[in-house]
Amino acid sequence: MRDKRSQRTEEQIQQHNADARVSMQQLREEQSEDTRAERNEVIRLEQRQSRRFTVSRRRTNDQQRQQVHCAFTSDSFLHLVFQYEPDIEYYANSKVVIGALDKECPHCHVLKFKNELPGMYCASGKVQLPEI
């Protein structure tokens, strides 16, 4: 059917559309006012049902999106440490900021991340390891 439609010329398309308009006009003239009103009511009910389904589906999608968002809030990351999923790209979340190893411990001169506590590796200079 799709192939037939794609192979039609512009004149054939125009003729088909004109024929469809004429047949629709004849159908409307043959129908009584009551029949037309019933048909319109059926169409309205179908549209309402379709809208309800669409709204329901959107609500479901929004709820799922909120659940995923809640899973990526900063508080929940503390719990996710023990439930790590390798398929989830945690680094892509805006709440996850790891940064670079660009801070230096004042005691042992080890490079560390921005928010790591000072002296975390050397107990603030109390532990000294021999150089390798």
Side-chain angles (χ1 to χ4, degrees):
M1 199 64 173
R2 191 178 301 151
D3 290 339
K4 284 183 181 180
R5 285 184 187 153
S6 65
Q7 293 173 358
R8 291 188 304 183
T9 65
E10 185 65 31
E11 291 173 1
Q12 290 172 330
I13 293 171
Q14 294 297 330
Q15 184 60 42
H16 174 74
N17 289 345
D19 292 343
R21 280 192 291 274
V22 168
S23 64
M24 185 58 76
Q25 184 64 32
Q26 288 173 350
L27 180 65
R28 286 184 180 146
E29 289 172 358
E30 292 171 1
Q31 285 181 341
S32 67
E33 188 64 33
D34 293 336
T35 308
R36 192 174 310 138
E38 287 175 19
R39 192 181 97 246
N40 288 341
E41 185 61 28
V42 168
I43 290 171
R44 276 194 288 276
L45 290 173
E46 288 173 351
Q47 287 174 343
R48 282 187 198 138
Q49 231 175 356
S50 176
R51 279 191 212 113
R52 285 185 189 135
F53 175 75
T54 303
V55 167
S56 174
R57 190 176 63 213
R58 283 183 185 163
R59 281 186 185 142
T60 303
N61 289 345
D62 287 345
Q63 288 171 347
Q64 288 174 348
R65 203 174 299 120
Q66 286 173 349
Q67 288 171 351
V68 168
H69 178 72
C70 286
F72 281 115
T73 59
S74 57
D75 293 339
S76 67
F77 275 118
L78 298 174
H79 302 290
L80 288 176
V81 169
F82 303 106
Q83 301 168 357
Y84 178 76
E85 293 287 335
D87 298 334
I88 298 176
E89 297 174 347
Y90 296 99
Y91 64 86
N93 189 286
S94 62
K95 302 278 185 193
V96 177
V97 179
I98 296 175
L101 286 168
D102 58 353
K103 302 296 177 196
E104 188 175 313
C105 175
H107 307 288
C108 64
H109 306 290
V110 129
L111 292 178
K112 60 187 189 82
F113 294 108
K114 176 183 176 184
N115 292 327
E116 287 184 304
L117 297 173
M120 182 173 145
Y121 301 104
C122 62
S124 297
K126 295 177 188 171
V127 176
Q128 292 184 351
L129 297 175
E131 289 189 29
I132 298 176

